[in-house]
Amino acid sequence: MYDICHYDSPLGGITLACDEKGLTGLWFDGQKYFGGGILKGDMKYKYSKENPPVLEQTKKWLDLYFDGQAPDFTPTLHLTGSEFRHSVWEILLEIPYGRTTTYKEIAREIASRRGIESMSAQAVGGAVGHNPVSIIVPCHRVLGTDGSMTGYAGGVDKKIRLLTLEKADLTISGI
């Protein structure tokens, strides 16, 4: 069973989802891959009048973030996906507030951690794009190799606004 709630952000509505283990989703309303399958099919979910603690913690995190602060905590996460996607999402969590990296740099880091020669930046892009907890798992901090504002499931306009909010240095800084 998933608990769902809504959050009104300065960039539009956000839907939050959690299960008993932690935060499972954070999506801008209507974004690509919205709901990550939770809001479709046979999965059971409910809108609660009283949110579980992890959803309240996530709302507090978002309040701080949209107030222009770098939150000093991360809500308990319960991300579901392949081992490869998890390895990409772990790297995303290492990108500091206000900093950026590229898909290519993430691919290099994964290759290094796995002891292999190379990794596909396109494969990394697919995992980044399927990040179920945007903003907190900061996929908006990933740029194209040339520094371009490529892809963001919530929309490139939101990506730019998030990076502007963070006063991000848009020069590629690595991980």
Side-chain angles (χ1 to χ4, degrees), residues 72-115:
D72 62 356
F73 67 95
T74 301
T76 303
L77 301 175
H78 182 217
L79 307 175
T80 57
S82 69
E83 179 184 335
F84 176 73
R85 286 184 179 176
H86 274 270
S87 65
V88 171
W89 300 336
E90 287 171 17
I91 291 171
L92 294 178
L93 285 165
E94 296 171 13
I95 305 169
Y97 181 93
R99 304 279 304 270
T100 58
T101 192
T102 66
Y103 298 98
K104 187 176 181 177
E105 282 299 316
I106 294 172
R108 281 187 195 144
E109 182 63 23
I110 288 174
S112 173
R113 291 180 185 188
R114 291 184 171 191

mmCIF file of all heavy atoms in Angstrom, residues 72-115:
data_model
loop_
_atom_site.group_PDB
_atom_site.id
_atom_site.type_symbol
_atom_site.label_atom_id
_atom_site.label_comp_id
_atom_site.label_asym_id
_atom_site.label_seq_id
_atom_site.Cartn_x
_atom_site.Cartn_y
_atom_site.Cartn_z
ATOM 1 N N ASP A 72 19.725 19.947 5.252
ATOM 2 C CA ASP A 72 20.833 19.195 5.843
ATOM 3 C C ASP A 72 20.436 17.767 6.217
ATOM 4 O O ASP A 72 21.087 17.130 7.029
ATOM 5 C CB ASP A 72 21.395 19.930 7.059
ATOM 6 C CG ASP A 72 20.377 20.107 8.172
ATOM 7 O OD1 ASP A 72 19.197 19.735 7.992
ATOM 8 O OD2 ASP A 72 20.767 20.617 9.240
ATOM 9 N N PHE A 73 19.358 17.289 5.624
ATOM 10 C CA PHE A 73 18.909 15.915 5.851
ATOM 11 C C PHE A 73 18.271 15.412 4.570
ATOM 12 O O PHE A 73 17.920 16.195 3.682
ATOM 13 C CB PHE A 73 17.899 15.853 7.008
ATOM 14 C CG PHE A 73 16.586 16.542 6.703
ATOM 15 C CD1 PHE A 73 15.504 15.821 6.224
ATOM 16 C CD2 PHE A 73 16.437 17.916 6.885
ATOM 17 C CE1 PHE A 73 14.306 16.460 5.923
ATOM 18 C CE2 PHE A 73 15.247 18.563 6.601
ATOM 19 C CZ PHE A 73 14.168 17.828 6.115
ATOM 20 N N THR A 74 18.140 14.110 4.466
ATOM 21 C CA THR A 74 17.448 13.482 3.342
ATOM 22 C C THR A 74 16.350 12.604 3.916
ATOM 23 O O THR A 74 16.620 11.786 4.801
ATOM 24 C CB THR A 74 18.422 12.610 2.514
ATOM 25 O OG1 THR A 74 19.485 13.443 2.037
ATOM 26 C CG2 THR A 74 17.721 11.965 1.332
ATOM 27 N N PRO A 75 15.124 12.776 3.441
ATOM 28 C CA PRO A 75 14.068 11.874 3.917
ATOM 29 C C PRO A 75 14.451 10.419 3.636
ATOM 30 O O PRO A 75 15.224 10.135 2.711
ATOM 31 C CB PRO A 75 12.845 12.282 3.084
ATOM 32 C CG PRO A 75 13.149 13.659 2.593
ATOM 33 C CD PRO A 75 14.640 13.724 2.451
ATOM 34 N N THR A 76 13.922 9.514 4.406
ATOM 35 C CA THR A 76 14.168 8.097 4.182
ATOM 36 C C THR A 76 13.643 7.728 2.805
ATOM 37 O O THR A 76 12.476 7.966 2.487
ATOM 38 C CB THR A 76 13.468 7.248 5.262
ATOM 39 O OG1 THR A 76 13.945 7.670 6.536
ATOM 40 C CG2 THR A 76 13.746 5.773 5.064
ATOM 41 N N LEU A 77 14.518 7.165 1.979
ATOM 42 C CA LEU A 77 14.154 6.811 0.611
ATOM 43 C C LEU A 77 13.957 5.308 0.473
ATOM 44 O O LEU A 77 14.649 4.522 1.120
ATOM 45 C CB LEU A 77 15.257 7.251 -0.358
ATOM 46 C CG LEU A 77 15.606 8.737 -0.378
ATOM 47 C CD1 LEU A 77 16.807 8.988 -1.290
ATOM 48 C CD2 LEU A 77 14.410 9.565 -0.811
ATOM 49 N N HIS A 78 13.009 4.936 -0.381
ATOM 50 C CA HIS A 78 12.829 3.540 -0.773
ATOM 51 C C HIS A 78 12.667 3.526 -2.290
ATOM 52 O O HIS A 78 11.560 3.541 -2.814
ATOM 53 C CB HIS A 78 11.625 2.901 -0.080
ATOM 54 C CG HIS A 78 11.460 1.466 -0.434
ATOM 55 N ND1 HIS A 78 10.246 0.873 -0.605
ATOM 56 C CD2 HIS A 78 12.373 0.482 -0.654
ATOM 57 C CE1 HIS A 78 10.400 -0.398 -0.930
ATOM 58 N NE2 HIS A 78 11.690 -0.651 -0.958
ATOM 59 N N LEU A 79 13.806 3.558 -2.962
ATOM 60 C CA LEU A 79 13.824 3.597 -4.415
ATOM 61 C C LEU A 79 13.782 2.182 -4.962
ATOM 62 O O LEU A 79 14.506 1.307 -4.481
ATOM 63 C CB LEU A 79 15.092 4.300 -4.907
ATOM 64 C CG LEU A 79 15.351 5.690 -4.326
ATOM 65 C CD1 LEU A 79 16.693 6.223 -4.790
ATOM 66 C CD2 LEU A 79 14.234 6.641 -4.682
ATOM 67 N N THR A 80 12.945 1.971 -5.962
ATOM 68 C CA THR A 80 12.877 0.646 -6.568
ATOM 69 C C THR A 80 13.323 0.749 -8.017
ATOM 70 O O THR A 80 12.930 1.659 -8.744
ATOM 71 C CB THR A 80 11.452 0.050 -6.484
ATOM 72 O OG1 THR A 80 10.535 0.943 -7.108
ATOM 73 C CG2 THR A 80 11.042 -0.172 -5.041
ATOM 74 N N GLY A 81 14.167 -0.172 -8.406
ATOM 75 C CA GLY A 81 14.692 -0.202 -9.764
ATOM 76 C C GLY A 81 15.812 -1.218 -9.846
ATOM 77 O O GLY A 81 16.165 -1.863 -8.857
ATOM 78 N N SER A 82 16.382 -1.323 -11.022
ATOM 79 C CA SER A 82 17.454 -2.285 -11.249
ATOM 80 C C SER A 82 18.713 -1.880 -10.485
ATOM 81 O O SER A 82 18.849 -0.742 -10.032
ATOM 82 C CB SER A 82 17.768 -2.358 -12.748
ATOM 83 O OG SER A 82 18.368 -1.144 -13.171
ATOM 84 N N GLU A 83 19.628 -2.814 -10.396
ATOM 85 C CA GLU A 83 20.920 -2.544 -9.747
ATOM 86 C C GLU A 83 21.637 -1.390 -10.450
ATOM 87 O O GLU A 83 22.223 -0.524 -9.800
ATOM 88 C CB GLU A 83 21.785 -3.806 -9.776
ATOM 89 C CG GLU A 83 23.147 -3.628 -9.151
ATOM 90 C CD GLU A 83 24.018 -4.875 -9.272
ATOM 91 O OE1 GLU A 83 23.485 -5.989 -9.392
ATOM 92 O OE2 GLU A 83 25.253 -4.704 -9.243
ATOM 93 N N PHE A 84 21.562 -1.367 -11.777
ATOM 94 C CA PHE A 84 22.207 -0.294 -12.529
ATOM 95 C C PHE A 84 21.578 1.056 -12.192
ATOM 96 O O PHE A 84 22.282 2.028 -11.937
ATOM 97 C CB PHE A 84 22.131 -0.560 -14.038
ATOM 98 C CG PHE A 84 22.703 0.569 -14.849
ATOM 99 C CD1 PHE A 84 24.076 0.770 -14.902
ATOM 100 C CD2 PHE A 84 21.872 1.440 -15.538
ATOM 101 C CE1 PHE A 84 24.608 1.828 -15.633
ATOM 102 C CE2 PHE A 84 22.396 2.491 -16.273
ATOM 103 C CZ PHE A 84 23.766 2.682 -16.316
ATOM 104 N N ARG A 85 20.259 1.122 -12.206
ATOM 105 C CA ARG A 85 19.601 2.382 -11.869
ATOM 106 C C ARG A 85 19.978 2.833 -10.457
ATOM 107 O O ARG A 85 20.247 4.009 -10.232
ATOM 108 C CB ARG A 85 18.086 2.267 -12.015
ATOM 109 C CG ARG A 85 17.644 2.255 -13.464
ATOM 110 C CD ARG A 85 16.155 2.242 -13.612
ATOM 111 N NE ARG A 85 15.790 2.266 -15.023
ATOM 112 C CZ ARG A 85 14.565 2.192 -15.468
ATOM 113 N NH1 ARG A 85 13.552 2.094 -14.618
ATOM 114 N NH2 ARG A 85 14.320 2.222 -16.767
ATOM 115 N N HIS A 86 20.000 1.909 -9.532
ATOM 116 C CA HIS A 86 20.399 2.265 -8.160
ATOM 117 C C HIS A 86 21.810 2.838 -8.124
ATOM 118 O O HIS A 86 22.071 3.794 -7.387
ATOM 119 C CB HIS A 86 20.290 1.049 -7.223
ATOM 120 C CG HIS A 86 18.934 0.872 -6.656
ATOM 121 N ND1 HIS A 86 18.532 1.451 -5.485
ATOM 122 C CD2 HIS A 86 17.851 0.196 -7.129
ATOM 123 C CE1 HIS A 86 17.275 1.133 -5.230
ATOM 124 N NE2 HIS A 86 16.836 0.376 -6.229
ATOM 125 N N SER A 87 22.721 2.271 -8.913
ATOM 126 C CA SER A 87 24.091 2.788 -8.913
ATOM 127 C C SER A 87 24.123 4.216 -9.451
ATOM 128 O O SER A 87 24.878 5.057 -8.943
ATOM 129 C CB SER A 87 25.029 1.871 -9.704
ATOM 130 O OG SER A 87 24.698 1.838 -11.073
ATOM 131 N N VAL A 88 23.298 4.517 -10.448
ATOM 132 C CA VAL A 88 23.219 5.887 -10.978
ATOM 133 C C VAL A 88 22.603 6.810 -9.935
ATOM 134 O O VAL A 88 23.116 7.907 -9.680
ATOM 135 C CB VAL A 88 22.431 5.917 -12.303
ATOM 136 C CG1 VAL A 88 22.157 7.353 -12.743
ATOM 137 C CG2 VAL A 88 23.171 5.145 -13.394
ATOM 138 N N TRP A 89 21.510 6.393 -9.314
ATOM 139 C CA TRP A 89 20.828 7.240 -8.329
ATOM 140 C C TRP A 89 21.725 7.524 -7.128
ATOM 141 O O TRP A 89 21.679 8.606 -6.559
ATOM 142 C CB TRP A 89 19.512 6.612 -7.900
ATOM 143 C CG TRP A 89 18.543 6.409 -9.050
ATOM 144 C CD1 TRP A 89 18.517 7.090 -10.244
ATOM 145 C CD2 TRP A 89 17.501 5.459 -9.125
ATOM 146 N NE1 TRP A 89 17.510 6.621 -11.035
ATOM 147 C CE2 TRP A 89 16.866 5.610 -10.382
ATOM 148 C CE3 TRP A 89 17.017 4.471 -8.258
ATOM 149 C CZ2 TRP A 89 15.780 4.832 -10.781
ATOM 150 C CZ3 TRP A 89 15.941 3.704 -8.654
ATOM 151 C CH2 TRP A 89 15.324 3.886 -9.897
ATOM 152 N N GLU A 90 22.547 6.552 -6.739
ATOM 153 C CA GLU A 90 23.495 6.781 -5.636
ATOM 154 C C GLU A 90 24.477 7.896 -5.999
ATOM 155 O O GLU A 90 24.804 8.740 -5.161
ATOM 156 C CB GLU A 90 24.261 5.490 -5.312
ATOM 157 C CG GLU A 90 23.413 4.457 -4.592
ATOM 158 C CD GLU A 90 24.117 3.112 -4.474
ATOM 159 O OE1 GLU A 90 25.360 3.047 -4.647
ATOM 160 O OE2 GLU A 90 23.417 2.117 -4.214
ATOM 161 N N ILE A 91 24.929 7.901 -7.236
ATOM 162 C CA ILE A 91 25.835 8.960 -7.676
ATOM 163 C C ILE A 91 25.113 10.300 -7.714
ATOM 164 O O ILE A 91 25.676 11.321 -7.317
ATOM 165 C CB ILE A 91 26.479 8.595 -9.033
ATOM 166 C CG1 ILE A 91 27.452 7.423 -8.830
ATOM 167 C CG2 ILE A 91 27.189 9.801 -9.643
ATOM 168 C CD1 ILE A 91 27.997 6.833 -10.098
ATOM 169 N N LEU A 92 23.866 10.308 -8.156
ATOM 170 C CA LEU A 92 23.100 11.561 -8.159
ATOM 171 C C LEU A 92 23.049 12.163 -6.752
ATOM 172 O O LEU A 92 23.182 13.374 -6.585
ATOM 173 C CB LEU A 92 21.676 11.334 -8.669
ATOM 174 C CG LEU A 92 21.513 10.934 -10.136
ATOM 175 C CD1 LEU A 92 20.036 10.715 -10.457
ATOM 176 C CD2 LEU A 92 22.125 11.951 -11.073
ATOM 177 N N LEU A 93 22.875 11.318 -5.755
ATOM 178 C CA LEU A 93 22.803 11.792 -4.372
ATOM 179 C C LEU A 93 24.120 12.411 -3.895
ATOM 180 O O LEU A 93 24.130 13.147 -2.913
ATOM 181 C CB LEU A 93 22.373 10.658 -3.435
ATOM 182 C CG LEU A 93 20.899 10.292 -3.511
ATOM 183 C CD1 LEU A 93 20.644 8.942 -2.843
ATOM 184 C CD2 LEU A 93 20.038 11.386 -2.882
ATOM 185 N N GLU A 94 25.206 12.123 -4.595
ATOM 186 C CA GLU A 94 26.521 12.667 -4.227
ATOM 187 C C GLU A 94 26.793 14.040 -4.848
ATOM 188 O O GLU A 94 27.778 14.689 -4.484
ATOM 189 C CB GLU A 94 27.620 11.694 -4.651
ATOM 190 C CG GLU A 94 27.562 10.367 -3.933
ATOM 191 C CD GLU A 94 28.511 9.330 -4.504
ATOM 192 O OE1 GLU A 94 29.409 9.696 -5.311
ATOM 193 O OE2 GLU A 94 28.353 8.151 -4.165
ATOM 194 N N ILE A 95 25.947 14.481 -5.775
ATOM 195 C CA ILE A 95 26.181 15.775 -6.431
ATOM 196 C C ILE A 95 25.764 16.869 -5.451
ATOM 197 O O ILE A 95 24.603 16.943 -5.055
ATOM 198 C CB ILE A 95 25.372 15.904 -7.738
ATOM 199 C CG1 ILE A 95 25.657 14.742 -8.685
ATOM 200 C CG2 ILE A 95 25.700 17.252 -8.410
ATOM 201 C CD1 ILE A 95 24.699 14.667 -9.873
ATOM 202 N N PRO A 96 26.690 17.723 -5.050
ATOM 203 C CA PRO A 96 26.364 18.751 -4.062
ATOM 204 C C PRO A 96 25.356 19.785 -4.572
ATOM 205 O O PRO A 96 25.282 20.065 -5.770
ATOM 206 C CB PRO A 96 27.716 19.423 -3.780
ATOM 207 C CG PRO A 96 28.746 18.482 -4.282
ATOM 208 C CD PRO A 96 28.101 17.730 -5.416
ATOM 209 N N TYR A 97 24.635 20.350 -3.658
ATOM 210 C CA TYR A 97 23.707 21.450 -3.920
ATOM 211 C C TYR A 97 24.459 22.553 -4.655
ATOM 212 O O TYR A 97 25.572 22.932 -4.286
ATOM 213 C CB TYR A 97 23.191 21.960 -2.572
ATOM 214 C CG TYR A 97 22.192 23.094 -2.636
ATOM 215 C CD1 TYR A 97 20.833 22.836 -2.646
ATOM 216 C CD2 TYR A 97 22.613 24.419 -2.648
ATOM 217 C CE1 TYR A 97 19.903 23.861 -2.664
ATOM 218 C CE2 TYR A 97 21.696 25.467 -2.675
ATOM 219 C CZ TYR A 97 20.343 25.173 -2.687
ATOM 220 O OH TYR A 97 19.436 26.200 -2.708
ATOM 221 N N GLY A 98 23.860 23.039 -5.747
ATOM 222 C CA GLY A 98 24.468 24.133 -6.490
ATOM 223 C C GLY A 98 25.580 23.731 -7.435
ATOM 224 O O GLY A 98 26.237 24.584 -8.022
ATOM 225 N N ARG A 99 25.819 22.439 -7.581
ATOM 226 C CA ARG A 99 26.875 21.946 -8.480
ATOM 227 C C ARG A 99 26.227 21.129 -9.591
ATOM 228 O O ARG A 99 25.088 20.683 -9.467
ATOM 229 C CB ARG A 99 27.869 21.063 -7.713
ATOM 230 C CG ARG A 99 28.523 21.713 -6.510
ATOM 231 C CD ARG A 99 29.695 22.611 -6.823
ATOM 232 N NE ARG A 99 30.758 21.984 -7.560
ATOM 233 C CZ ARG A 99 31.795 21.353 -7.025
ATOM 234 N NH1 ARG A 99 31.908 21.235 -5.724
ATOM 235 N NH2 ARG A 99 32.737 20.834 -7.798
ATOM 236 N N THR A 100 26.957 20.907 -10.657
ATOM 237 C CA THR A 100 26.454 20.102 -11.764
ATOM 238 C C THR A 100 27.508 19.097 -12.201
ATOM 239 O O THR A 100 28.690 19.219 -11.868
ATOM 240 C CB THR A 100 26.086 20.993 -12.976
ATOM 241 O OG1 THR A 100 27.239 21.724 -13.385
ATOM 242 C CG2 THR A 100 24.942 21.940 -12.639
ATOM 243 N N THR A 101 27.053 18.114 -12.947
ATOM 244 C CA THR A 101 27.935 17.140 -13.577
ATOM 245 C C THR A 101 27.295 16.761 -14.905
ATOM 246 O O THR A 101 26.266 17.320 -15.294
ATOM 247 C CB THR A 101 28.179 15.928 -12.664
ATOM 248 O OG1 THR A 101 29.252 15.146 -13.208
ATOM 249 C CG2 THR A 101 26.944 15.060 -12.496
ATOM 250 N N THR A 102 27.885 15.814 -15.601
ATOM 251 C CA THR A 102 27.355 15.386 -16.891
ATOM 252 C C THR A 102 27.037 13.892 -16.867
ATOM 253 O O THR A 102 27.531 13.146 -16.018
ATOM 254 C CB THR A 102 28.365 15.639 -18.026
ATOM 255 O OG1 THR A 102 29.508 14.799 -17.825
ATOM 256 C CG2 THR A 102 28.771 17.107 -18.086
ATOM 257 N N TYR A 103 26.250 13.496 -17.851
ATOM 258 C CA TYR A 103 25.947 12.073 -18.015
ATOM 259 C C TYR A 103 27.252 11.309 -18.252
ATOM 260 O O TYR A 103 27.444 10.221 -17.720
ATOM 261 C CB TYR A 103 24.996 11.858 -19.202
ATOM 262 C CG TYR A 103 23.660 12.535 -19.011
ATOM 263 C CD1 TYR A 103 23.398 13.777 -19.580
ATOM 264 C CD2 TYR A 103 22.653 11.938 -18.253
ATOM 265 C CE1 TYR A 103 22.181 14.405 -19.397
ATOM 266 C CE2 TYR A 103 21.425 12.559 -18.068
ATOM 267 C CZ TYR A 103 21.195 13.798 -18.641
ATOM 268 O OH TYR A 103 19.994 14.411 -18.454
ATOM 269 N N LYS A 104 28.146 11.908 -19.018
ATOM 270 C CA LYS A 104 29.435 11.267 -19.324
ATOM 271 C C LYS A 104 30.266 11.070 -18.056
ATOM 272 O O LYS A 104 30.884 10.018 -17.869
ATOM 273 C CB LYS A 104 30.194 12.116 -20.345
ATOM 274 C CG LYS A 104 31.460 11.486 -20.858
ATOM 275 C CD LYS A 104 32.076 12.368 -21.946
ATOM 276 C CE LYS A 104 33.337 11.762 -22.508
ATOM 277 N NZ LYS A 104 33.887 12.584 -23.597
ATOM 278 N N GLU A 105 30.289 12.070 -17.179
ATOM 279 C CA GLU A 105 31.041 11.952 -15.919
ATOM 280 C C GLU A 105 30.448 10.843 -15.034
ATOM 281 O O GLU A 105 31.190 10.094 -14.396
ATOM 282 C CB GLU A 105 31.067 13.274 -15.170
ATOM 283 C CG GLU A 105 32.060 14.265 -15.710
ATOM 284 C CD GLU A 105 33.490 13.741 -15.642
ATOM 285 O OE1 GLU A 105 33.894 13.171 -14.621
ATOM 286 O OE2 GLU A 105 34.205 13.903 -16.654
ATOM 287 N N ILE A 106 29.137 10.763 -14.997
ATOM 288 C CA ILE A 106 28.500 9.696 -14.208
ATOM 289 C C ILE A 106 28.859 8.344 -14.799
ATOM 290 O O ILE A 106 29.169 7.398 -14.063
ATOM 291 C CB ILE A 106 26.976 9.903 -14.123
ATOM 292 C CG1 ILE A 106 26.659 11.168 -13.315
ATOM 293 C CG2 ILE A 106 26.293 8.679 -13.498
ATOM 294 C CD1 ILE A 106 25.201 11.571 -13.323
ATOM 295 N N ALA A 107 28.838 8.242 -16.131
ATOM 296 C CA ALA A 107 29.212 6.980 -16.786
ATOM 297 C C ALA A 107 30.654 6.603 -16.439
ATOM 298 O O ALA A 107 30.941 5.433 -16.141
ATOM 299 C CB ALA A 107 29.035 7.105 -18.302
ATOM 300 N N ARG A 108 31.560 7.584 -16.443
ATOM 301 C CA ARG A 108 32.953 7.316 -16.066
ATOM 302 C C ARG A 108 33.046 6.832 -14.617
ATOM 303 O O ARG A 108 33.812 5.921 -14.310
ATOM 304 C CB ARG A 108 33.802 8.575 -16.223
ATOM 305 C CG ARG A 108 34.203 8.876 -17.617
ATOM 306 C CD ARG A 108 35.187 10.040 -17.627
ATOM 307 N NE ARG A 108 35.303 10.556 -18.982
ATOM 308 C CZ ARG A 108 35.453 11.823 -19.284
ATOM 309 N NH1 ARG A 108 35.559 12.741 -18.360
ATOM 310 N NH2 ARG A 108 35.539 12.199 -20.543
ATOM 311 N N GLU A 109 32.290 7.463 -13.746
ATOM 312 C CA GLU A 109 32.322 7.083 -12.326
ATOM 313 C C GLU A 109 31.803 5.667 -12.125
ATOM 314 O O GLU A 109 32.375 4.893 -11.353
ATOM 315 C CB GLU A 109 31.520 8.095 -11.505
ATOM 316 C CG GLU A 109 31.517 7.821 -10.021
ATOM 317 C CD GLU A 109 32.887 7.902 -9.364
ATOM 318 O OE1 GLU A 109 33.796 8.574 -9.900
ATOM 319 O OE2 GLU A 109 33.058 7.280 -8.294
ATOM 320 N N ILE A 110 30.725 5.321 -12.803
ATOM 321 C CA ILE A 110 30.187 3.959 -12.678
ATOM 322 C C ILE A 110 31.198 2.955 -13.216
ATOM 323 O O ILE A 110 31.442 1.916 -12.588
ATOM 324 C CB ILE A 110 28.830 3.826 -13.393
ATOM 325 C CG1 ILE A 110 27.773 4.583 -12.593
ATOM 326 C CG2 ILE A 110 28.424 2.356 -13.546
ATOM 327 C CD1 ILE A 110 26.422 4.651 -13.247
ATOM 328 N N ALA A 111 31.800 3.253 -14.363
ATOM 329 C CA ALA A 111 32.813 2.350 -14.919
ATOM 330 C C ALA A 111 33.958 2.165 -13.932
ATOM 331 O O ALA A 111 34.413 1.038 -13.691
ATOM 332 C CB ALA A 111 33.329 2.894 -16.253
ATOM 333 N N SER A 112 34.397 3.256 -13.326
ATOM 334 C CA SER A 112 35.477 3.187 -12.349
ATOM 335 C C SER A 112 35.090 2.314 -11.156
ATOM 336 O O SER A 112 35.868 1.458 -10.720
ATOM 337 C CB SER A 112 35.846 4.595 -11.883
ATOM 338 O OG SER A 112 36.770 4.553 -10.825
ATOM 339 N N ARG A 113 33.912 2.524 -10.636
ATOM 340 C CA ARG A 113 33.458 1.755 -9.469
ATOM 341 C C ARG A 113 33.285 0.279 -9.785
ATOM 342 O O ARG A 113 33.428 -0.562 -8.903
ATOM 343 C CB ARG A 113 32.139 2.327 -8.935
ATOM 344 C CG ARG A 113 32.299 3.691 -8.295
ATOM 345 C CD ARG A 113 31.001 4.236 -7.777
ATOM 346 N NE ARG A 113 31.179 5.605 -7.274
ATOM 347 C CZ ARG A 113 30.254 6.273 -6.618
ATOM 348 N NH1 ARG A 113 29.075 5.740 -6.370
ATOM 349 N NH2 ARG A 113 30.507 7.508 -6.212
ATOM 350 N N ARG A 114 32.969 -0.020 -11.032
ATOM 351 C CA ARG A 114 32.769 -1.414 -11.440
ATOM 352 C C ARG A 114 34.042 -2.051 -11.969
ATOM 353 O O ARG A 114 34.050 -3.240 -12.297
ATOM 354 C CB ARG A 114 31.661 -1.501 -12.488
ATOM 355 C CG ARG A 114 30.298 -1.184 -11.931
ATOM 356 C CD ARG A 114 29.228 -1.375 -12.958
ATOM 357 N NE ARG A 114 27.911 -1.281 -12.341
ATOM 358 C CZ ARG A 114 26.787 -1.611 -12.926
ATOM 359 N NH1 ARG A 114 26.808 -2.085 -14.159
ATOM 360 N NH2 ARG A 114 25.647 -1.495 -12.286
ATOM 361 N N GLY A 115 35.094 -1.251 -12.101
ATOM 362 C CA GLY A 115 36.354 -1.787 -12.606
ATOM 363 C C GLY A 115 36.295 -2.167 -14.070
ATOM 364 O O GLY A 115 36.949 -3.113 -14.494
#
